[in-house]
Amino acid sequence: MRAAVRATPRHRFVHRFRANSDGPLHDLDADPISLLPVVYHGQPLTHVAADGTPLPSTNSEAAYVLWLVERLGVEPTQQILEIGSGSGWLLAVMAHLAGPEGAVTGIEIIPSLADQSRADLAELGRGNARVLTADATCEPISGAPFDRVIITAATWSLPAAFFDLVAEGGKLLVPLRLPRDEGCEVTLLRRESCGFRAEWSFPGFFVPLVGASQSAEIARVRIDEWTVQAGIDAEPSLSYPFWFASLAPSLPGTASPAFRRHLAMTEPGFTIFEPAAARPAAAKWLSDFGLLDGKAGSAAIMRAGRLIGYGAPTATRQLLESYRRWCDLGMPGPTAYKLQVIPTEATVSNETAALTEVRGDSTFIRSIDAHAGAWCNLLERTSS
């Protein structure tokens, strides 16, 4: 990996960009010397079009995506596919890892990025890499099946064609979007005869995959605006300490992200609560979350160190019931669930599944250890 990165300078694939998504506009071609420290600082770089418009694509945090490629296990002679190849930098790194007897294919839906990455790859001499301008969610991809596939964008549904992209026993690394939330589970899937089975997952954030069947609404509300629309008191109706093992007063507790994912997967009323205009927006992983029950005029918000309710207590009770169920299961995080992804048309009843979710052409089946929650029986026997 070190040799591949040294042979693939990141700045050769960066042109107009903003550091993260809100930094100043930079043009590396116009000022290469002074901008090199920015490019190699490590943060995500948002690509910007020639007219100054931000593109829905980033040159992701280098150390993070390189770590993901290591988890994917790219080896010499393999056939590799990257969906959402963007600038082409990661594609070039994988082309070096695959070697002259291997080949890598990048799919990029934004024509200007695809054109630029083709030129940059050619200038670097990566003859075993190609970039196709296409919508991978609905257009056929030549060269399938591939030994390794990586999707570097948050994906809602695996289209039916994706099941034929990966060779039997091959691997697909994909950030799977959470229902109604901004985050995703970066998941390594192994191809099996019936579909995919997860080997590993880790929380993350990626820009959404653009294409057919990828629409997924994020439930996002500003509580000060919602109380006006709902006609309820703008002041909280209840507020309790709820630390979630917080390490600092202004930060969510260490258990908070795991419960947030559980809530997003299990509760249709899951909502991200944006701050009022007077309060600065928090980072995605620090944002307030909870449940919203519009019919009951009720909201429950998990904010750093507090559980806050608005209107009727309905949403707060529902949130606490969900929290109790989560605790009874042993506070499972994303890796506690065994995930299987199969074509929706092949879906069969699975009585052991804890969660089954149909997402267009693919169905996500999550199961948990059969002994999860069994420790509660010990408490019941003790009390009796």
Side-chain angles (χ1 to χ4, degrees), residues 16-75:
R16 294 172 62 86
F17 70 95
R18 296 181 187 273
N20 294 308
S21 59
D22 53 359
L25 176 62
H26 296 303
D27 188 340
L28 186 65
D29 296 328
D31 188 13
I33 301 302
S34 65
L35 290 176
L36 281 179
V38 180
V39 172
Y40 286 99
H41 186 269
Q43 74 267 34
L45 306 177
T46 299
H47 301 299
V48 177
D51 62 0
T53 305
L55 297 173
S57 175
T58 64
N59 197 317
S60 301
E61 182 181 350
Y64 181 60
V65 292
L66 292 173
W67 177 64
L68 294 180
V69 169
E70 284 191 323
R71 298 304 300 252
L72 182 62
V74 175
E75 299 176 358

Side-chain angles (χ1 to χ4, degrees), residues 21-305:
S21 59
D22 53 359
L25 176 62
H26 296 303
D27 188 340
L28 186 65
D29 296 328
D31 188 13
I33 301 302
S34 65
L35 290 176
L36 281 179
V38 180
V39 172
Y40 286 99
H41 186 269
Q43 74 267 34
L45 306 177
T46 299
H47 301 299
V48 177
D51 62 0
T53 305
L55 297 173
S57 175
T58 64
N59 197 317
S60 301
E61 182 181 350
Y64 181 60
V65 292
L66 292 173
W67 177 64
L68 294 180
V69 169
E70 284 191 323
R71 298 304 300 252
L72 182 62
V74 175
E75 299 176 358
T77 74
Q78 287 181 337
Q79 302 295 304
I80 313 297
L81 174 67
E82 180 183 7
I83 296 175
S85 54
S87 70
W89 175 71
L90 191 62
L91 196 72
V93 171
M94 292 190 293
H96 188 282
L97 292 171
E101 296 183 6
V104 298
T105 299
I107 307 295
E108 179 51 55
I109 198 172
I110 304 173
S112 60
L113 272 180
D115 292 342
Q116 184 65 65
S117 63
R118 274 191 288 265
D120 292 338
L121 285 163
E123 187 175 337
L124 196 63
R126 294 293 152 85
N128 63 337
R130 63 171 180 157
V131 177
L132 307 178
T133 307
D135 180 352
T137 64
C138 62
E139 298 181 42
I141 300 172
S142 62
F146 296 89
D147 301 301
R148 298 288 187 268
V149 177
I150 182 170
I151 303 176
T152 46
T155 303
W156 175 250
S157 173
L158 295 184
F162 279 26
F163 291 88
D164 298 322
L165 286 179
V166 186
E168 184 78 15
K171 295 181 180 181
L172 165 64
L173 195 147
V174 54
L176 297 173
R177 294 184 65 177
L178 291 169
R180 297 168 289 278
D181 201 357
E182 298 170 305
C184 57
E185 293 176 306
V186 183
T187 306
L188 184 62
L189 301 168
R190 179 179 288 276
R191 184 70 170 93
E192 298 180 343
S193 58
C194 57
F196 293 103
R197 190 175 298 276
E199 293 188 342
W200 168 88
S201 66
F202 190 82
F205 289 91
F206 278 82
V207 295
L209 181 67
V210 177
S213 76
Q214 294 305 312
S215 59
E217 292 186 5
I218 296 176
R220 189 181 285 115
V221 166
R222 260 184 58 176
I223 191 63
D224 56 333
E225 295 178 347
W226 179 80
T227 53
V228 173
Q229 296 168 359
I232 64 174
D233 195 335
E235 293 299 316
S237 55
L238 58 88
S239 179
Y240 301 121
F242 214 100
W243 293 283
F244 262 135
S246 178
L247 300 178
S250 60
L251 296 177
T254 53
S256 177
F259 177 62
R260 173 175 176 153
R261 280 166 166 72
H262 172 83
L263 205 64
M265 289 192 297
T266 59
E267 293 291 345
F270 175 87
T271 303
I272 298 169
F273 290 94
E274 295 185 329
R279 251 179 78 213
K284 291 177 181 179
W285 54 89
L286 299 178
S287 57
D288 301 339
F289 68 94
L291 296 181
L292 187 69
D293 186 338
K295 291 183 178 180
S298 177
I301 303 176
M302 303 299 303
R303 187 170 293 163

